[in-house]
């Protein structure tokens, strides 16, 4: 990958720098004027860090995460494509999160839109010969990761069919949120919805609670969900507001104690400090005809819990 466009790797005016991890994989670091930051690894196009203007990490990464290709690191925000979970014939969550992405030459790596209120990086993934052997469809997956001046994180995925025939896929932004204590957290916005319970062979149930709280393992796909969902963290006195477009489902996952002990890249007690809430398209596959393009958007905000209700009424702005 050419790094020539980053002749000055630490341009504070642009709010961007490129660094390399100990495996030599490039990471793009985005910074807002107020001090928030995000870090995107070209391994998987994965957002591996998102910090607010006080330097607090908002995404969870396991202390036992394995930072070594070809597998995705346990944490952050993973790109699950063209498969989520074990729903098809491919490796779990598809191959996009395990591949090395490149900077998108057709777009400048930094895009100051909204009068310079955002700093962005554009990445692209195209299938390798090995990918085409296991999933014989040509695609272009473009990902834009942006950080607003207020520290909001947004991801826009555009997947184009450059194949000669239609293909179908599922998709998720597999998002590990950092929480103070899972027993003190609740999700609002999914009440009364139907969900598929992966712990009960994908049987369909209807959510009965006023809000979703946690006292045991949860692995659910909430279908036909609203485009704004909130995760309230009582102890931290802040909330995550999740806005989405083009993604009808929300996956909620916490492995709890028993399953945590079976995962080699996850600490036995770390389930208490994390919660996955994924904007996704899982229940019904997305089908693209030749030349068609699909767009899926995610915006994450961390706001004071007292202001949370104001944000639930706002549309997606990305």
């Amino acid at each position: 990958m050419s790094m020539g466009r980053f002749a000055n790797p630490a341009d504070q005016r642009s709010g961007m720098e490129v660094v390399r991890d100990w495996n030599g994989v490039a990471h793009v670091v985005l910074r807002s004027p107020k001090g928030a930051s995000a870090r995107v690894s070209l391994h998987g196009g994965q957002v591996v860090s998102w910090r607010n203007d006080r330097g607090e990490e908002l995404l969870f990464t396991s202390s036992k995460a394995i930072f070594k290709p070809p597998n995705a690191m346990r944490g952050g925000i993973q790109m699950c494509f063209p498969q989520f979970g074990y729903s098809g014939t491919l490796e779990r969550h598809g191959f996009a999160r395990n591949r090395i992405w490149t900077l998108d030459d057709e777009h400048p790596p930094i895009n100051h839109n909204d009068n310079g209120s955002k700093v962005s990086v554009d990445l692209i993934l195209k299938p390798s010969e090995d990918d085409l052997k296991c999933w014989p469809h040509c695609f272009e997956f473009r990902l834009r990761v942006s950080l607003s001046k207020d520290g909001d994180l947004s991801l826009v995925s555009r997947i184009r069919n450059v194949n000669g025939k239609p293909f179908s896929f599922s998709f998720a932004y597999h998002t590990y949120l950092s929480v103070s204590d899972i027993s003190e957290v609740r999700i609002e916005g999914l009440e009364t919805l139907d969900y598929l319970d992966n712990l009960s062979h994908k049987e369909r149930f209807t959510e009965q609670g006023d809000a979703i709280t946690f006292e045991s393992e949860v692995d659910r796909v909430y279908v036909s969900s609203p485009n704004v969902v909130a995760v309230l963290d009582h102890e931290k006195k802040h909330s995550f507001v999740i806005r989405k477009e083009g993604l009808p489902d929300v996956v909620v996952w916490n492995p709890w104690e028993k399953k945590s002990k079976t995962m080699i890249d996850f600490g036995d007690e770390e389930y208490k400090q994390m919660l996955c809430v994924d904007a996704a398209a899982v229940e019904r596959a997305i089908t693209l005809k030749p030349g068609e393009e699909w767009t899926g958007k995610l915006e994450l905000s961390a706001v004071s819990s007292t202001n949370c209700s104001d944000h639930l009424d706002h549309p997606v702005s990305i």
Side-chain angles (χ1 to χ4, degrees):
M1 181 186 72
S2 170
M3 302 297 285
R5 69 181 65 187
F6 300 119
N8 179 3
D11 183 349
Q12 293 308 312
R13 290 171 303 166
S14 71
M16 186 280 293
E17 67 175 316
V18 174
V19 299
R20 290 187 182 273
D21 66 16
W22 49 85
N23 295 307
V25 176
H27 289 204
V28 179
V29 182
L30 306 176
R31 290 191 177 90
S32 78
K34 296 182 181 178
S37 67
R39 180 185 286 244
V40 187
S41 173
L42 268 65
H43 174 215
Q46 184 171 354
V47 180
V48 295
S49 175
W50 173 40
R51 294 179 182 269
N52 62 20
D53 54 14
R54 295 184 298 280
E56 296 168 335
E57 180 59 62
L58 301 171
L59 299 177
F60 168 87
T61 298
S62 172
S63 63
K64 294 191 174 183
I66 300 166
F67 293 85
K68 190 173 183 181
N71 295 319
M73 177 205 77
R74 172 78 66 183
I77 305 175
Q78 302 175 5
M79 304 297 116
C80 298
F81 168 85
Q83 176 180 305
F84 182 77
Y86 293 106
S87 59
T89 59
L90 301 175
E91 59 200 273
R92 184 170 179 264
H93 292 331
F95 50 73
R97 66 181 188 147
N98 298 327
R99 299 297 184 263
I100 299 295
W101 294 51
T102 56
L103 293 161
D104 189 351
D105 291 332
E106 293 185 22
H107 295 86
I110 299 172
N111 177 56
H112 291 286
N113 51 9
D114 300 330
N115 299 317
S117 65
K118 287 184 180 180
V119 60
S120 305
V121 63
D122 289 288
L123 304 181
I124 188 167
L125 179 70
K126 297 180 182 180
S128 68
E129 288 186 14
D130 286 342
D131 295 336
L132 291 170
K133 289 175 184 174
C134 66
W135 199 68
H137 306 293
C138 282
F139 66 88
E140 292 176 349
F141 185 157
R142 285 187 163 84
L143 171 66
R144 172 169 292 181
V145 181
S146 305
L147 192 67
S148 78
K149 67 176 187 292
D150 294 323
D152 296 342
L153 180 69
S154 61
L155 295 88
V156 180
S157 291
R158 292 183 295 129
I159 296 170
R160 177 176 290 276
N161 182 351
V162 292
N163 211 34
K165 58 184 179 181
F167 64 70
S168 299
F169 62 91
S170 54
F171 180 92
Y173 290 113
H174 193 21
T175 304
Y176 287 76
L177 300 174
S178 176
V179 300
S180 57
D181 183 341
I182 188 63
S183 62
E184 297 289 328
V185 170
R186 71 181 192 271
I187 303 176
E188 295 186 353
L190 302 177
E191 49 277 1
T192 74
L193 295 187
D194 283 1
Y195 64 86
L196 309 178
D197 192 340
N198 288 323
L199 303 179
S200 299
H201 307 289
K202 299 185 180 179
E203 190 176 347
R204 183 181 286 256
F205 297 92
T206 300
E207 180 59 51
Q208 301 296 330
D210 293 334
I212 299 168
T213 56
F214 300 90
E215 47 194 34
S216 60
E217 182 182 357
V218 172
D219 189 353
R220 299 173 180 173
V221 180
Y222 287 84
V223 300
S224 303
S225 60
N227 278 341
V228 186
V229 174
V231 179
L232 285 71
D233 191 329
H234 177 71
E235 199 169 304
K236 284 191 176 178
K237 295 184 171 57
H238 77 195
S239 301
F240 293 104
V241 179
I242 301 166
R243 297 182 181 87
K244 59 188 179 66
E245 275 184 14
L247 296 156
D249 307 323
V250 171
V251 179
V252 177
W253 179 68
N254 183 287
W256 219 254
E257 188 172 11
K258 185 177 179 182
K259 186 164 188 176
S260 295
K261 292 178 179 178
T262 69
M263 296 188 287
I264 59 169
D265 60 347
F266 193 84
D268 289 357
E269 300 290 318
E270 286 186 329
Y271 71 92
K272 296 176 181 176
Q273 273 75 56
M274 58 74 65
L275 175 62
C276 284
V277 182
D278 307 348
V282 176
E283 186 196 21
R284 291 188 180 90
I286 296 160
T287 299
L288 292 180
K289 297 174 184 174
E292 282 189 334
E293 183 175 275
W294 167 85
T295 301
K297 300 179 181 181
L298 170 68
E299 184 181 78
L300 298 174
S301 307
V303 302
S304 166
S305 290
T306 54
N307 298 330
C308 183
S309 58
D310 299 339
H311 290 256
L312 290 175
D313 298 325
H314 292 177
V316 181
S317 60
I318 48 181

